[in-house]
Amino acid sequence: MKTLVWVEHEGGTVKDATLAAVTAASRLGEVHLLVAGEGIGAVAAAAAKIAGVGKVHAAEGAAYGRALPENIAPLVVDLMADHDAFLAPATANGKNIAPRVAALLDVMQISEILSVESADTFTRPIYAGNAIATVRSSDTKMVITVRGTAFDKAPREGGAGVVEAVSGAGDPGLSSFIAAEISKSERPELTSAKIVVSGGRALQNSENFQSIIEPLADKLGAAVGASRAAVDAGYVPNDYQVGQTGKIVAPEIYIAVGISGAIQHLAGMKDSKTIVAINKDEDAPIFQVADIGLVGDLFSVVPELTRRL
Ligand code: FAD
């Protein structure tokens, strides 16, 4: 089977979630990549070195620079004439592109796979991760998104793929890029950080979030996350949200501060290796998944913890 993986890249680097998608693709068969964008020479060369990669299709052009699904999907559909499965990381951009590819190919999408059981059978979470479905595809072309935390990352070195230029129709004029507001941070990226410190509604406002959660994260070299309640209340931006409708994380250590542990939050972090919960309510559901629990008022225990680290 020939697979085609869409490569998400930024600043000339292949993003980690793509490496997990490559591992998933390698369980299905031959791995080909699609690198699309503007000035992609270096990233295509880097992608060719990823272990297990046979070929890199490089689509150069301003039309592909912003990963607009309206522009990328027709390119993928053309390449799918010679591939059996299309895989994309289940990131915001991957989840934007894959459904459009599936619609254009008139096949179903298999979303957020957790494992490859055989050439046509996969597992994927349903009911916010409370049940795992085993799904079998009968489509001749498969369109799959891959949960990055469920697969090891393919090594960035060790491959000897061939880079081949491809051209597509370019910009069909269906959408245009206006602007991106990117929050800049010195901290590690939330989905790939080894440690995550997340705050919840209990922080009460953004000033408390900054003065209590961020110093602890900085001491630990951790990324900062949040519950949806904290995001909805405006304490932090939307891209901090962990959970069913936020980001899925599985760090070595996840520290939940003033978060109750609603099922939708757990869906985004319960695969973390060690979960630490700080909550003043000893009956809070978060303690049911926590490896280490501290019952106390976060306004006193977190600054104390930060001081002692
Ligand atoms: P609360 O549930 O209000 O919990 C606050 C906690 O702080 C309590 O346990 C309390 O005991 C504790 N506390 C209060 N004061 C202190 C103190 N001084 N010191 C220590 N502890 C204290 N939620 C997500 O997080 N992510 C999602 O992706 C998400 N998606 C959703 C999708 C849908 C369709 C729906 C319906 C909901 C979703 N939610 C999501 C919302 C979710 O159901 C919860 O409402 C939310 O997670 C609650 O956030 P919280 O734990 O911060 O707040």
Side-chain angles (χ1 to χ4, degrees):
M1 183 187 289
K2 264 197 220 166
T3 68
L4 179 69
V5 178
W6 175 67
V7 173
E8 184 161 32
H9 56 92
E10 195 176 345
T13 306
V14 175
K15 297 188 97 178
D16 279 354
T18 300
L19 302 175
V22 168
T23 300
S26 68
R27 308 233 163 107
L28 290 169
E30 211 177 305
V31 182
H32 293 180
L33 306 182
L34 168 61
V35 177
E38 207 175 359
I40 51 162
V43 73
K49 289 191 191 144
I50 297 171
V53 168
K55 194 185 276 183
V56 176
H57 299 281
E60 173 73 50
Y64 306 124
R66 291 292 175 172
L68 293 178
E70 291 80 3
N71 298 11
I72 304 272
L75 187 61
V76 174
V77 169
D78 284 351
L79 289 168
M80 283 303 285
D82 191 35
H83 294 86
D84 307 294
F86 172 69
L87 294 92
T91 56
N93 282 325
K95 289 195 280 191
N96 220 1
I97 291 168
R100 199 168 183 92
V101 171
L104 290 170
L105 291 173
D106 196 19
V107 298
M108 70 171 190
Q109 174 177 298
I110 306 163
S111 300
E112 296 226 29
I113 62 162
L114 303 173
S115 70
V116 175
E117 300 295 308
S118 71
D120 60 2
T121 308
F122 310 89
T123 61
R124 58 173 301 265
I126 54 173
Y127 301 118
N130 281 293
I132 306 298
T134 301
V135 293
R136 177 170 296 142
S137 168
S138 53
D139 285 324
T140 47
K141 306 271 179 196
M142 292 187 291
V143 174
I144 298 165
T145 61
V146 179
R147 182 171 284 192
T149 54
F151 291 86
D152 291 336
K153 296 176 191 75
R156 288 181 184 271
E157 299 290 334
V162 180
V163 180
E164 211 172 75
V166 289
S167 54
D171 184 354
L174 294 173
S175 63
S176 55
F177 173 80
I178 305 291
E181 282 176 34
I182 313 280
S183 46
K184 288 211 171 63
S185 168
E186 297 295 306
R187 298 195 184 90
E189 208 258 319
L190 187 52
T191 51
S192 53
K194 289 204 163 52
I195 307 178
V196 172
V197 181
S198 282
R201 195 197 310 266
L203 270 304
Q204 295 173 355
N205 54 49
S206 59
E207 292 75 26
N208 289 342
F209 206 100
Q210 278 165 27
S211 65
I212 292 183
I213 299 296
E214 293 187 2
L216 176 59
D218 290 342
K219 269 270 171 76
L220 295 169
V224 175
S227 71
R228 177 159 161 182
V231 169
D232 286 351
Y235 308 168
V236 285
N238 176 271
D239 58 351
Y240 281 41
Q241 186 177 317
V242 172
Q244 184 186 341
T245 43
K247 289 184 173 151
I248 310 286
V249 301
E252 300 288 322
I253 304 175
Y254 186 87
I255 305 179
V257 179
I259 291 179
S260 59
I263 180 175
Q264 296 89 355
H265 188 79
L266 301 186
M269 46 61 77
K270 67 177 159 40
D271 291 332
S272 306
K273 303 265 177 332
T274 300
I275 298 173
V276 180
I278 300 173
N279 198 302
K280 70 176 183 186
D281 174 9
E282 63 181 36
D283 294 324
I286 191 78
F287 288 126
Q288 287 166 19
V289 297
D291 301 286
I292 300 168
L294 177 55
V295 178
D297 185 341
L298 72 88
F299 292 101
S300 55
V301 299
V302 176
E304 174 74 14
L305 179 63
T306 307
R307 245 190 327 274
R308 291 199 186 198
L309 278 166

